[in-house]
Amino acid sequence: MTSEQRRIQPRKQPRQIRAELTRQRILTAAAHIFAEYGYAAGTTNRIAERARVSIGSLYQYYPNKDAILAELLTRHLDGDRATETLRAHKDRPDPLEDIIRVFVHTVIENHLDDPALLRIMLEQAPRSSELIERITQQEWEMIGDLRELLDRHPEARVNDKDTAARLVAYTVELTVHSLVAAPNSIDVTRLENELVAMITSYLRTER
Amino acid sequence: MTSEQRRIQPRKQPRQIRAELTRQRILTAAAHIFAEYGYAAGTTNRIAERARVSIGSLYQYYPNKDAILAELLTRHLDGDRATETLRAHKDRPDPLEDIIRVFVHTVIENHLDDPALLRIMLEQAPRSSELIERITQQEWEMIGDLRELLDRHPEARVNDKDTAARLVAYTVELTVHSLVAAPNSIDVTRLENELVAMITSYLRTER
DNA sequence: CACAATTATGAGCAATTGTTCAGTTCGTCC
DNA sequence: GGACGAACTGAACAATTGCTCATAATTGTG
């Protein structure tokens, strides 16, 4: 930032395709290593070895170990379509059950990619303030959208809408996360059906 | 084991009260340190320091670091009254909602003790096969009891009872765990109310 | 080909951490 | 009070790990 910038290009772009490939190899290897060994035991040397790259190269692309997991997590969060799906459907005149189903379905899809890695990332990732904020923000977005759904949809009859929105968001995220990544994995279709049934009946029941 | 044993006493019992106290001090200190620093950064030296005990003494009572967390977890699991509470109530002629409420309430109570430590234990504990088994068994007991409740209680109307039992067990455990230990903690009474409402309406609704 | 910029290498450093063990202190019992 | 074992101490060891840096290889350019 000291010298004048003539270009608007993002800094430090790789000049050769080779570099981009190496970077990608490191990331892929890291995903495998972290998923298999966990974060602490997933050493940078192991990652480099698996990527068939020297440890020096690894540190040319990532300033430290945390940064590798951070990028993996960022990519996952970027690929998360749950919030926008909910937002796109929450004002439609569809039956409540349909909206909930689309939402649940999207969350499940999001977890089917690499459950083991996802588990590591969410449970063992170093709690850097930046990433925490990122995740928290995404959570609250989802809760906010759910809250609006409860306010507007004619079928919704819950009393404590604030708590309900949080409960639903957490229930879906957590049960899907746990039951999909579980060693004794559940049938995904059944999970979706029951989850939708549970939430829908809850939201519709007057008390 | 080389010499003949005349006594049937359990081996290696502490002979002096001093020893028992030291052991207790170590455990208490470990609980604090793990809760504050997490598992990896909660070093044995830090624990010993906090317990005002030399590192050597610590290793006289615990063969290694894992063993300390294992004992903490064991004690927590031993203190878990959720399964028995459910078992005690599941065959009573009470309204379904009451049974569910007692169950949810017990789970919440169990998490109110030391949420931070519990979080560490469940999320960062080294996955020794022994402890995993212990936890898994306790989980399946709970699921089994829920399953029986669904079979016998007249108000229960779910279709897919197997999936429902698992879903309910996980929903309660996970949401309570997350929402109670969350930095932005939720009102516990509200959580209980909504959780009970959600599960009850789910289990009672015919489809 | 020359040469410079980019990319890759890997031995080794610095720091941390779990653990040991030779020696000291304390408690108990005759 | 003396003797023996239980309990305690903490400096030091061994292993691991994240990371650096001097050097080498590769690629693009004229």
Side-chain angles (χ1 to χ4, degrees):
Chain A
M1 294 291 177
T2 57
S3 67
E4 24 173 350
Q5 295 179 270
R6 301 213 184 87
R7 316 204 177 154
I8 323 182
Q9 289 191 0
R11 56 177 183 141
K12 199 66 178 295
Q13 263 198 343
R15 307 303 172 96
Q16 301 176 13
I17 329 106
R18 188 168 47 138
E20 192 56 47
L21 288 177
T22 304
R23 199 188 168 84
Q24 188 56 50
R25 286 230 306 287
I26 294 171
L27 215 55
T28 307
H32 284 112
I33 295 292
F34 283 144
E36 185 173 348
Y37 294 88
Y39 183 71
T43 70
T44 48
N45 282 289
R46 246 199 272 260
I47 293 172
E49 189 187 18
R50 163 123 196 186
R52 271 174 301 177
V53 154
S54 77
I55 183 63
S57 289
L58 186 149
Y59 278 94
Q60 200 157 29
Y61 293 101
Y62 297 94
N64 52 53
K65 188 181 171 182
D66 290 6
I68 304 177
L69 197 83
E71 179 156 337
L72 284 172
L73 185 49
T74 295
R75 293 202 174 193
H76 177 83
L77 291 178
D78 284 344
D80 189 350
R81 294 286 94 94
T83 302
E84 11 189 331
T85 302
L86 179 58
R87 181 161 300 161
H89 285 74
K90 77 171 195 290
D91 289 323
R92 294 192 190 170
D94 306 350
L96 186 58
E97 176 168 348
D98 293 358
I99 299 177
I100 296 296
R101 181 170 297 274
V102 174
F103 171 58
V104 169
H105 191 82
T106 312
V107 173
I108 289 179
E109 262 189 345
N110 245 288
H111 281 257
L112 283 178
D113 182 27
D114 192 341
L117 174 61
L118 190 55
R119 189 166 201 146
I120 302 298
M121 291 194 297
L122 294 183
E123 294 174 5
Q124 301 180 19
R127 304 309 201 179
S128 84
S129 53
E130 194 193 344
L131 277 184
I132 291 268
E133 252 175 56
R134 191 70 203 283
I135 295 176
T136 308
Q137 190 207 329
Q138 212 148 321
E139 261 176 25
W140 281 104
E141 260 180 56
M142 186 187 288
I143 293 172
D145 288 330
L146 277 170
R147 179 63 229 258
E148 287 183 21
L149 175 66
L150 298 188
D151 263 340
R152 298 177 190 172
H153 202 284
E155 292 180 48
R157 292 225 153 68
V158 243
N159 291 325
D160 189 341
K161 287 179 178 168
D162 283 323
T163 309
R166 291 182 74 179
L167 180 59
V168 170
Y170 274 80
T171 296
V172 176
E173 276 288 352
L174 293 171
T175 57
V176 168
H177 177 63
S178 279
L179 287 171
V180 166
N184 208 338
S185 192
I186 206 170
D187 180 281
V188 185
T189 313
R190 286 176 156 204
L191 173 61
E192 181 181 313
N193 285 336
E194 297 309 303
L195 210 38
V196 170
M198 179 165 78
I199 293 170
T200 309
S201 67
Y202 165 49
L203 297 179
R204 282 200 302 218
T205 303
E206 188 133 30
R207 275 176 296 153
Chain B
M1 292 293 178
T2 58
S3 67
E4 23 174 351
Q5 295 179 268
R6 301 210 185 88
R7 314 199 179 161
I8 323 182
Q9 287 191 0
R11 57 179 181 140
K12 201 64 179 296
Q13 263 196 343
R15 308 302 173 95
Q16 302 176 12
I17 329 105
R18 186 169 46 139
E20 192 55 48
L21 288 177
T22 304
R23 198 188 171 84
Q24 189 54 51
R25 288 232 304 286
I26 294 171
L27 215 55
T28 308
H32 283 112
I33 295 292
F34 283 144
E36 183 172 350
Y37 293 89
Y39 183 70
T43 70
T44 48
N45 282 287
R46 247 198 273 260
I47 293 172
E49 189 187 17
R50 163 123 197 185
R52 273 174 298 176
V53 154
S54 79
I55 183 64
S57 290
L58 187 149
Y59 277 96
Q60 201 157 27
Y61 293 102
Y62 297 95
N64 53 52
K65 186 182 171 181
D66 290 6
I68 305 176
L69 197 83
E71 179 156 336
L72 283 172
L73 185 49
T74 295
R75 295 202 171 192
H76 177 83
L77 291 177
D78 284 343
D80 190 350
R81 294 284 96 94
T83 301
E84 9 189 333
T85 302
L86 179 60
R87 182 162 300 159
H89 286 74
K90 75 172 196 289
D91 289 324
R92 295 193 188 169
D94 306 350
L96 186 59
E97 178 169 348
D98 293 358
I99 300 178
I100 296 296
R101 182 171 296 275
V102 174
F103 171 59
V104 169
H105 192 81
T106 312
V107 173
I108 290 179
E109 262 188 346
N110 244 287
H111 281 258
L112 283 179
D113 182 27
D114 193 341
L117 173 61
L118 190 55
R119 189 166 201 146
I120 302 298
M121 291 195 295
L122 293 182
E123 294 174 3
Q124 301 179 20
R127 302 311 201 179
S128 85
S129 53
E130 195 193 344
L131 277 183
I132 291 268
E133 251 175 56
R134 190 73 203 283
I135 296 177
T136 309
Q137 190 206 329
Q138 211 149 322
E139 261 176 26
W140 280 104
E141 261 181 55
M142 185 186 288
I143 293 172
D145 288 330
L146 277 170
R147 181 60 229 257
E148 287 182 21
L149 174 66
L150 298 188
D151 262 339
R152 297 176 190 172
H153 202 285
E155 291 181 47
R157 292 226 153 69
V158 243
N159 292 324
D160 189 342
K161 287 179 179 168
D162 283 323
T163 309
R166 292 183 73 180
L167 179 59
V168 170
Y170 273 81
T171 297
V172 176
E173 275 289 352
L174 294 171
T175 57
V176 168
H177 178 63
S178 279
L179 288 171
V180 166
N184 209 338
S185 193
I186 207 171
D187 181 281
V188 185
T189 312
R190 286 177 156 201
L191 174 62
E192 181 181 313
N193 285 336
E194 296 310 302
L195 208 39
V196 169
M198 180 166 78
I199 293 169
T200 309
S201 67
Y202 165 48
L203 296 179
R204 282 201 303 222
T205 303
E206 188 133 32
R207 274 175 297 152

